[in-house]
Amino acid sequence: MSTCTSVARDLDEPMSGTAPTARTWLLVEQPGPWGAKALVSSHLDPVLGRALEAAAKDTGVRVVLIRRPGPHADFGTPRLRRVYAAHTVPGRVWIRSATTSDPSRLLDLDYAALGRGEPRSFETALDGRPHTGGPLALVCTNGKRDRCCALLGRPLAAELAASNADGVWEVTHLGGHRFSPTALVLPYGYAYGRAEAHALKEVLHGAQEGRIVVEGSRGCSAWERPGQAAELAVRAAVGEYGAQALTVVATQGGAPRWEVTVAHADGRHWRVVVAQGASLPPRPESCGASVLGSPSRMDVESVRELSPAGALAG
């Protein structure tokens, strides 16, 4: 049976520069079934879901629902929900966690501040505390958005959970269905596609040590798509895997061509030329698509280290 995932894999569609974008992730535990637009089609009050969407709009915060791997029987509203907030911009990375019996308290958060990397409102509104566990692995399993996410994501999440990997959750939506199973690893915010359990365990181990695994990565969610591709290209070019070593400091131009400046914590800079292309031949972008499409791709044309004077001028 042909699926959007099998076609993308057969065509070897590149994944770099396809990660979801968010500087800060807000994760809200919601067991039970999820609909395609989970914030308004789950056991979470849809009025609250719409209010959360509105509060987070244009702030750099992305709100998603999470649940533990396994069967999702309808047991009604949970008494306590786990909530996480994670900021992914290098140099200011953090995770906070809390529990709440009243999800409407999420409306007391200062979303603009969370998007800037300021956790104070999470701490005051929800009595949040620094997360003391290991990295979080969020595996997309929402079959109502695309069947590949359920068929491939749920077994991956279950296998990771059965192997006693800490911090494994199912999540409602990470985009890129055709790269299923997809996963996001926090706190550093790198997304992965075509993920396998053994590889994702290595990603989690690396994140625990402050190290990024580049193989299979779609990019860091802190950056827009050209920046994601540019940052991964610099990592590959110079062999830099420190989680917070690189930052996208400037993006010039616009589709279909950008010049992205990537800075190292040690002062080095690179200029990366990224071009937007179309993936050919046309293919289904999701299993629910009624027509074939040519999804855009981020192609890195060049990576050039700048002199100190050039870095200052750029």
Side-chain angles (χ1 to χ4, degrees), residues 162-173:
S163 68
N164 295 319
D166 292 331
V168 179
W169 295 86
E170 297 186 9
V171 68
T172 46
H173 183 48

Side-chain angles (χ1 to χ4, degrees), residues 261 269 271 304-314:
T261 304
H269 288 72
R271 183 68 44 78
R304 177 171 62 92
E305 186 171 357
L306 301 177
S307 65
L312 291 173

Side-chain angles (χ1 to χ4, degrees), residues 12-89:
D12 197 24
E13 183 178 338
M15 296 188 292
S16 175
T18 68
T21 56
R23 294 189 300 273
T24 302
W25 291 83
L26 182 63
L27 319 176
V28 183
E29 184 177 6
Q30 178 56 63
W34 296 333
K37 295 183 177 181
L39 279 179
V40 295
S41 54
S42 70
H43 286 163
L44 186 72
D45 181 352
V47 174
L48 175 59
R50 283 190 288 272
L52 291 174
E53 287 181 334
K57 185 177 181 181
D58 299 326
T59 65
V61 178
R62 183 160 176 165
V63 185
V64 293
L65 303 183
I66 57 173
R67 64 190 177 195
R68 289 297 187 184
H72 303 298
D74 187 351
F75 293 124
T77 303
R79 188 178 68 85
L80 281 177
R81 303 167 190 261
R82 175 69 62 179
V83 182
Y84 297 97
H87 188 64
T88 63
V89 176

Side-chain angles (χ1 to χ4, degrees), residues 231-252:
E231 191 254 17
L232 286 178
V234 172
R235 286 192 180 278
V238 303
E240 176 55 73
Y241 306 110
Q244 301 193 68
L246 299 180
T247 302
V248 174
V249 296
T251 301
Q252 298 174 316

Side-chain angles (χ1 to χ4, degrees), residues 6 36 46 124 136 149 160 162 202-203 209 224 226 234 237 249 251 297 299 304:
S6 63
T124 56
L136 304 181
C149 296
L160 287 170
E202 174 57 31
V203 171
E209 298 180 338
E224 298 295 328
V234 172
V249 296
T251 301
R297 52 186 284 172
D299 295 318
R304 177 171 62 92

Side-chain angles (χ1 to χ4, degrees), residues 23-24 55-56 58-61 109-118 121:
R23 294 189 300 273
T24 302
D58 299 326
T59 65
V61 178
L109 298 175
D110 184 337
Y111 285 84
L114 287 174
R116 295 191 299 267
E118 302 167 11
S121 70

